[in-house]
Amino acid sequence: MSATIVGVDVGGTFTDLFCYDEAAGRFRTAKVPSNRGDEAVGFLEGLKSFGPVAQLASVVHGTTVGTNALLERKGARVGLITTRGFRDVLEMRRRDRLHTWGLWGDFLPVVDRDMRLEVAERTLADGSIRAAVDPAEVQAAVRQLIEKGAEALAIVFINAYANPANEQAALAAARAVWPGETLACSSQILPEIREFERTSTTALNAYLQPVVGSYLGKLDAALAGEGFGGRFHIVQSNGGVMSTATARRLPVRTALSGPAAGVIAAAAIAREAGFPDVITGDLGGTSFDVSLVVGGGTALAAQTTIDFGLVIRTPMIEISTIGAGGGSIAHVDAGGLLQVGPESAGSRPGPVCYGQGNTRPTLTDANVVLGRINAERPIGGKLARLDVEAAKAAILAHVGAPLGLDAMAAAEAILRVANARMAGAIRLVSIERGHDPSRFAVVPFGGGGALHTGALIREVGLKAALVPRFPGVTSALGCVIADIRHDQVQTVNLTLEAMDEAALDRRMVAEAAAARAVVEAAGLAVERIDTVFELDMHYAGQTHTVAVPLPVAVQGGSTGLTRAIVREAFERAYQTSFSRLLPGLGVRIVNLRTAAIGRRPRFDLGLLAPEKEATVEGARRGSRPVWFGGAWHDTAIYARLELPEGATIPGPAILEQPDATTVVDPGLVARVDRLGNVIVERAA
């Protein structure tokens, strides 16, 4: 049986692949253009570059389909059935506004008001049922929604987290008349207190179900057509991997799938290279995704806002995204200010220099005109060369002429604006959260990240940049090395003093078994399965909770949990978050969170190391003029993958490879470490 696993990251511009033969300890990479609208084409094209698809053991995929559907509001038409009186929870939200200090706003929920129907039922907060649901009334509502064109159905009843009986009865009644499988109730998606977050997450899951389901169906069919009989898995927003069956049932967990895979790989590479504190920066064709890694660990958020009002409450790696990618279009706005993004040229038509019909300049066009990207050797393998003159003409027409600048000054201005936006995103996840950026290195990856290392070091005050061996396919590598993970949450809502130790212990054991079963069903090889418990807790009278990791595990059918263990864990977590405790106040336990993590066999990053016989002179490819700081500089060019361990390259220099380009600015120096990473620092 083949032991070959392929990680596939489908971005807006390129599809990146990392193929690893676990038995032989060999790897290969590939980068092909994405086929926006029919991603299965690029997906299969990339897989075939490694040989017959039927010979692959498993494929792990990081996708942005869910993210794009949410951001572009291109999900399914959803019908929502809820408790009488709670029809407008999605619009009321948390009484927040798009413009905090304004008197107006234009938020539209993903479920239209006429698609939100009420039924008579009532479950109280203690779990007792005051009014049972009428199945006939539910079925009448379902038929009405079908007539209105509903493609997915969500059922959300008030207090269903405390007792799901009414919801489950309604779901059973709905199944009898609903065509297909695109329906779910909130107790299946998020059995947690707080009606807005539960309603929003359930509604968004329904909104994505037909879109993600159709996409995965196409990929499944394409793989089957090639005789693929292995395992096909999807990366979750929490950095773990799940089966496609789970992804179809819980597509909301794919909302940040692609970016999460990149963070997982970047964190692993940085840890191995001796940089436990880093800020990852994934610059693709459409966006720039930033995440903070402290002490070698990624930060998980219990809740994420994808866009205003689109709240998803499920564990996700904390990632900040801005519309500043290589394909971001530069333009002068009505006020005469230069803007870069958020609109993107994507893969079709792509930047002007691609010669595919676009006439508006992009960030990639600016890098080409400035000589930072080699026009004769474009990444991706599809284009023979890039059209520098067309890019220069577009920059002059759309940016230079309106601002009174020549083409070179206009191209540099585009670069400076884009760099400032990226620096702002890095400040958001570091300085504004109390971290000193001078302690951190940036890990730039994606097709364009390493083009901007110097600017990010200089503008943010970072200590260094660590450019991975294959920056353009780092997210695909993350797909290969990501663990299998399944998260569950259950509201318990009790005081610490009233906690029944034995009852909570039994619930934890049951939750662990259920989560473990999902991981085992995924079918990927794991070294072990770890179970992690966490409580959401707060002092009496407070609204917001702190995450409290519990230092216990299931052994011999019990966790050994005691009230003293919970109290000590809470006080430790609260002290860490707020630097003080509030003695004398009661303590409440709100939610129990359980995660089962199947630890994948360790990927040996030493496989990426440079060849022993490599030399600096052998990697030298001459020089060319590159524009830095308002003037041309004669710049040394190197084949990056041919540089030996220990090589030191002073700036200005350009390091080229098939999947990315690294720019070493004047005043900086680059060195190659034992893993083949390039460390860029200020010259001594």
Side-chain angles (χ1 to χ4, degrees), residues 199 279 531:
T199 305
I279 298 167
T531 306

Side-chain angles (χ1 to χ4, degrees), residues 69 73-79 110-111 149-152 203 206-211:
R73 296 296 185 101
K74 292 183 178 178
R77 186 163 172 78
V78 176
V110 296
V111 185
E151 300 168 305
Y207 189 66
L208 292 177
Q209 238 183 334
V211 177

Side-chain angles (χ1 to χ4, degrees), residues 48-67:
K48 288 178 180 178
S49 68
F50 302 125
V53 175
Q55 294 181 7
L56 301 177
S58 56
V59 175
V60 183
H61 177 29
T63 175
T64 56
V65 168
T67 316

Side-chain angles (χ1 to χ4, degrees), residues 76-149:
R77 186 163 172 78
V78 176
L80 174 67
I81 298 176
T82 190
T83 306
R84 184 158 294 148
F86 292 88
R87 179 185 189 184
D88 295 319
V89 164
L90 281 178
E91 281 187 85
M92 295 171 69
R93 301 181 307 282
R94 285 288 165 197
R95 293 177 293 177
D96 53 350
R97 289 188 283 190
L98 180 58
H99 304 286
T100 305
W101 306 112
L103 298 177
W104 56 275
D106 55 355
F107 172 73
L108 291 174
V110 296
V111 185
D112 296 335
R113 195 168 194 272
D114 67 337
M115 298 294 287
R116 306 195 298 261
L117 303 184
E118 300 176 344
V119 296
E121 76 81 34
R122 189 67 180 206
T123 301
L124 301 184
D126 64 2
S128 60
I129 295 178
R130 171 170 289 181
V133 70
D134 179 1
E137 186 181 8
V138 171
Q139 291 183 343
V142 172
R143 291 189 182 97
Q144 189 176 341
L145 291 170
I146 292 172
E147 289 176 5
K148 290 174 178 286

Side-chain angles (χ1 to χ4, degrees), residues 80 290 338 496:
L80 174 67
V290 182
L338 175 59
L496 180 58

